[in-house]
Amino acid sequence: MNAKFREILIKRIEEEREAAKHISQDELAEEICNIGFKCLMCGKCCRREFGDNRVAVVPDEIRRIQKGSDLTWKAIVEPLNIEANSLQDECYLQGESGMIDEDGNIHTFGWMLQRKNNGDCVFIPEEKKDSKCSIYELRPLLCSTYPFYMEELELRASECEGIGGEITKQDSKEIAGMLLKRYLGELQDTILTYKNYDGFIPAKIGNIIAKSNLKQGYLNYVVHNSEGTCKVTKNI
Ligand code: SF4
């Protein structure tokens, strides 16, 4: 990413953040109320087999989970990576190929909650009938506002069987408040991430190294995030 393009990108997101500050919580709550939502406690949004269950989190949220639990940073998050069926998936390294440097490091932006080998969120029980989140009180805003999210100043909703369900005005207002907090937090995090980003040079040789690392059971990542750059080794 060249410096000029990065500047344009940052400016655009800063404008979106400023505009987002003027979104009315009451109006947003009304929209949510009109769409309707009731959580069916099915846990499908936490499990990989029902779709993309990646949960992007910002450093402040990771620290909040750490504070309320005895979990390490590494036990909570992994680099935000592409959505593939598994890391062993043939397509995985191809999907990341433009993001690998000459040392075989895969460059990514930001963090997501750890997932188990089967792709489920690390905080959902193995037993399929049990969908109780083990960090429910500490869960990230993406989880507590699901299936809603904000994009380009508009309310959007992901696919979810709870959509259309009965919701009180009070609950809609609560979700709207969290949604705005999440939206502003994510925009701010993206701005800082781009400001910190120094770039890297992709190299084809890196793909060969990453493939060999994968065969040996690990992958090296460089995570560009709002607090700088972090090197992480993920055991596969
Ligand atoms: S943190 Fe909890 S609510 Fe969020 S995806 Fe994981 S199990 Fe589900």
Side-chain angles (χ1 to χ4, degrees):
M1 186 188 299
N2 71 37
K4 186 85 193 142
F5 181 62
R6 185 168 64 159
E7 231 172 78
I8 294 168
L9 215 51
I10 291 171
K11 193 164 175 284
R12 202 180 295 157
I13 304 166
E14 281 174 340
E15 283 165 5
E16 187 175 339
R17 181 192 56 189
E18 289 317 298
K21 286 180 184 167
H22 299 289
I23 296 174
S24 148
Q25 184 180 348
D26 286 338
E27 284 174 21
L28 194 59
E30 208 179 315
E31 266 189 84
I32 292 169
C33 208
N34 290 339
I35 294 171
F37 173 66
K38 184 167 175 54
C39 178
L40 304 177
M41 305 296 283
C42 60
K44 286 185 177 174
C45 50
C46 314
R47 299 201 189 272
R48 174 65 184 91
E49 66 176 293
F50 300 104
D52 182 359
N53 65 338
R54 290 174 300 167
V55 177
V57 277
V58 298
D60 281 352
E61 288 186 297
I62 303 167
R63 275 197 202 94
R64 194 171 57 84
I65 297 171
Q66 273 191 298
K67 241 185 185 173
S69 66
D70 54 3
L71 296 168
T72 61
W73 187 282
K74 216 175 164 184
I76 300 168
V77 285
E78 59 181 285
L80 181 63
N81 51 48
I82 63 159
E83 183 62 347
N85 287 337
S86 72
L87 288 171
Q88 285 89 348
D89 195 45
E90 267 295 291
C91 303
Y92 183 78
L93 284 175
Q94 276 171 31
E96 295 283 23
S97 66
M99 298 301 282
I100 303 178
D101 67 23
E102 62 178 4
D103 297 318
N105 297 311
I106 302 170
H107 289 248
T108 65
F109 292 89
W111 303 99
M112 67 183 206
L113 291 184
Q114 278 279 5
R115 296 195 297 182
K116 301 176 197 172
N117 288 341
N118 67 1
D120 288 354
C121 174
V122 73
F123 299 114
I124 194 88
E126 292 291 341
E127 178 54 58
K128 292 268 163 69
K129 279 183 219 144
D130 185 359
S131 54
K132 197 170 178 347
C133 168
S134 64
I135 55 158
Y136 190 78
E137 297 303 329
L138 302 166
R139 71 200 192 285
L141 281 170
L142 190 150
C143 302
S144 42
T145 55
Y146 192 87
F148 299 105
Y149 63 99
M150 300 294 295
E151 195 177 67
E152 294 172 351
L153 307 171
E154 301 280 346
L155 175 68
R156 310 247 201 262
S158 303
E159 210 176 296
C160 172
E161 289 166 21
I163 287 280
E166 208 172 303
I167 186 168
T168 64
K169 283 195 172 158
Q170 185 52 38
D171 285 349
S172 306
K173 189 156 181 181
E174 209 177 299
I175 293 177
M178 289 190 290
L179 209 46
L180 288 175
K181 186 175 173 198
R182 172 185 158 194
Y183 188 32
L184 288 170
E186 285 171 353
L187 289 170
Q188 178 63 12
D189 194 75
T190 309
I191 291 165
L192 291 175
T193 299
Y194 281 130
K195 282 188 176 172
N196 283 331
Y197 180 58
D198 279 338
F200 73 98
I201 302 169
K204 285 213 172 109
I205 179 76
N207 294 22
I208 298 164
I209 298 170
K211 236 181 214 169
S212 149
N213 292 347
L214 187 57
K215 269 195 192 137
Q216 292 171 67
Y218 68 93
L219 283 170
N220 288 329
Y221 287 88
V222 173
V223 183
H224 301 276
N225 68 100
S226 55
E227 297 188 346
T229 297
C230 188
K231 265 193 100 166
V232 179
T233 296
K234 184 175 166 63
N235 295 316
I236 312 296

